[in-house]
Amino acid sequence: MNRVRVLIAVAAAAPMSVWGWASSAPAATIATTVYGADPCPKARSDEIVVCAREPESERYRIPKRFRAGPRVESGPSASWASRVEGLEAAQRPTRPNSCSAVGSNGQTGCMQAMLHQWYLERHMAHDLQP
């Protein structure tokens, strides 16, 4: 047990050039993705190049890790279209033609709402008849 500790201490204290590791270590490692039949970039004498090959159909696509995420309908990353739609839905009861007691001209949409409901009921009744 004691000999193992001494060996580890000697190995750690020895300069790396004695073991030959420092002189053969590359200066840089480059990892890249190539598509289709594109050639892998040539390495210079002091670097290692690692190439991952993807099919040509993946060249201009959004990376898979970003494609699988769920759509966010609210919050800072939501689209402007969904934000505007949410604001319009929240303001609809206070606008004209809304058939609401809230806001000015809210009562103007009551006839339109009644006709819309009548049309839907008529359509449902027609679909249910044999």
Side-chain angles (χ1 to χ4, degrees):
M1 181 74 172
N2 220 2
R3 274 196 256 173
V4 174
R5 288 185 192 170
V6 171
L7 264 171
I8 292 173
V10 169
M16 290 183 67
S17 60
V18 171
W19 298 99
W21 295 337
S23 61
S24 66
T29 303
I30 298 172
T32 185
T33 304
V34 293
Y35 297 93
D38 292 348
C40 192
K42 299 293 182 198
R44 293 186 297 225
S45 62
D46 62 340
E47 66 185 9
I48 295 175
V49 176
V50 179
C51 293
R53 189 162 301 277
E54 293 282 339
E56 185 66 33
S57 62
E58 293 289 317
R59 183 181 296 262
Y60 298 110
R61 295 211 45 192
I62 296 172
K64 289 180 183 177
R65 65 178 185 261
F66 298 123
R67 282 187 250 162
R71 276 186 78 183
V72 178
E73 296 296 332
S74 64
S77 61
S79 70
W80 276 106
S82 65
R83 289 182 189 188
V84 168
E85 185 178 334
L87 288 173
E88 286 180 349
Q91 292 295 320
R92 191 166 289 126
T94 63
R95 292 192 173 165
N97 296 327
S98 64
C99 190
S100 171
V102 179
S104 61
N105 293 324
Q107 77 284 358
T108 57
C110 290
M111 182 60 125
Q112 182 180 0
M114 185 181 67
L115 288 173
H116 182 69
Q117 182 178 356
W118 171 79
Y119 176 77
L120 289 176
E121 289 173 357
R122 182 174 160 228
H123 187 69
M124 291 292 288
H126 179 70
D127 286 346
L128 295 176
Q129 289 180 353

